[in-house]
Amino acid sequence: GENVEQHPSTLSVQEGDSAVIKCTYSDSASNYFPWYKQELGKGPQLIIDIRSNVGEKKDQRIAVTLNKTAKHFSLHITETQPEDSAVYFCAASKNSNYQLIWGAGTKLIIKP
Amino acid sequence: DSGVTQTPKHLITATGQRVTLRCSPRSGDLSVYWYQQSLDQGLQFLIQYYNGEERAKGNILERFSAQQFPDLHSELNLSSLELGDSALYFCASSTGQAHSPLHFGNGTRLTVT
């Protein structure tokens, strides 16, 4: 079945530096790729998503890139701030069932 | 605030017992999802309902059951509880349309002693 692998499991970066989290999916029919951020004590929240007809999408300091040939997509956070510290989840879904297949999560730590 | 309400926030119970977790979806959303998140683990999809009907089932144990009521709120019932059932249980809601975003509640933390 569909599988989404997410790396790294933990990422520690200096405040102000950039962070990149990568996900690889197995089902070539996947066409929707959201990213969710989970802050401590809260549920995940959608921060950005991308569809397969687009290669890149930006929203202020965050961006997502998609490489359909290689079947991977990445989350880029620039000029990291303390409030970026959280667990980030990637996911993938396709039109046949719209079910999200989740990555295992990345704990992002921003060092002051 | 996601608009999704989960109660209770915390629940402590003993092995072998049965509990009910409740979720009120965001206004206008027809679909409800239940997820389990163990300590430092990812999100395990349990089950999805759409407008009262079961739409998809994930890794939900036979000891667990759920339903969505006519007013669209949902309940997750966990029975014959084991120590390993201790986890965060999240409810999420969406419109149920293709690739619509999920809105998560803040979860119910279940501790089985």
Side-chain angles (χ1 to χ4, degrees):
Chain A
E2 168 75 286
N3 184 47
V4 175
E5 293 188 358
Q6 183 171 347
H7 298 280
S9 57
T10 304
L11 178 61
S12 184
V13 301
Q14 204 69 37
E15 182 178 349
D17 287 351
S18 296
V20 181
I21 302 170
K22 299 180 180 179
C23 288
T24 303
Y25 59 99
S26 60
D27 190 340
S28 57
S30 295
N31 62 350
Y32 175 66
F33 308 92
W35 286 89
Y36 284 77
K37 174 184 181 183
Q38 184 178 21
E39 297 178 348
L40 197 62
K42 296 185 177 182
Q45 179 183 13
L46 178 70
I47 55 171
I48 195 167
D49 57 11
I50 192 169
R51 297 174 192 265
S52 59
N53 59 347
V54 176
E56 183 176 4
K57 184 176 179 181
K58 289 183 179 180
D59 183 3
Q60 299 182 358
R61 294 186 299 107
I62 62 173
V64 56
T65 58
L66 172 65
N67 183 326
K68 288 187 293 183
T69 303
K71 291 192 284 187
H72 66 71
F73 56 111
S74 300
L75 178 70
H76 305 254
I77 305 174
T78 59
E79 301 174 9
T80 53
Q81 301 171 2
E83 54 265 36
D84 295 328
S85 292
V87 177
Y88 291 80
F89 291 97
C90 65
S93 70
K94 57 188 178 183
N95 285 346
S96 61
N97 61 13
Y98 306 129
Q99 291 304 310
L100 285 173
I101 307 300
W102 295 83
T106 295
K107 185 174 184 179
L108 177 62
I109 300 167
I110 308 300
K111 297 181 291 185
Chain B
D1 182 10
S2 68
V4 177
T5 303
Q6 286 188 250
T7 57
K9 291 184 180 180
H10 302 277
L11 199 49
I12 302 175
T13 189
T15 54
Q17 294 299 305
R18 171 189 169 96
V19 297
T20 298
L21 282 53
R22 183 186 169 99
C23 170
S24 293
R26 200 177 63 131
S27 178
D29 284 352
L30 297 178
S31 197
V32 169
Y33 307 73
W34 286 98
Y35 284 86
Q36 180 191 57
Q37 186 176 42
S38 300
L39 188 65
D40 290 336
Q41 295 293 312
L43 295 163
Q44 299 299 317
F45 170 65
L46 298 177
I47 199 164
Q48 178 199 359
Y49 283 85
Y50 177 80
N51 205 20
E53 299 290 326
E54 181 183 307
R55 176 174 270 189
K57 185 177 278 192
N59 299 320
I60 188 167
L61 300 172
E62 286 192 11
R63 300 183 285 109
F64 296 179
S65 65
Q67 56 183 324
Q68 185 180 28
F69 294 88
D71 68 351
L72 301 178
H73 91 271
S74 178
E75 292 181 354
L76 178 66
N77 300 296
L78 314 176
S79 62
S80 302
L81 285 168
E82 302 174 359
L83 295 178
D85 297 327
S86 295
L88 265 171
Y89 290 85
F90 285 104
C91 170
S93 73
S94 78
T95 62
Q97 300 306 305
H99 305 317
S100 55
L102 269 59
H103 301 271
F104 283 81
N106 286 332
T108 292
R109 180 171 293 282
L110 174 66
T111 302
V112 183
T113 61

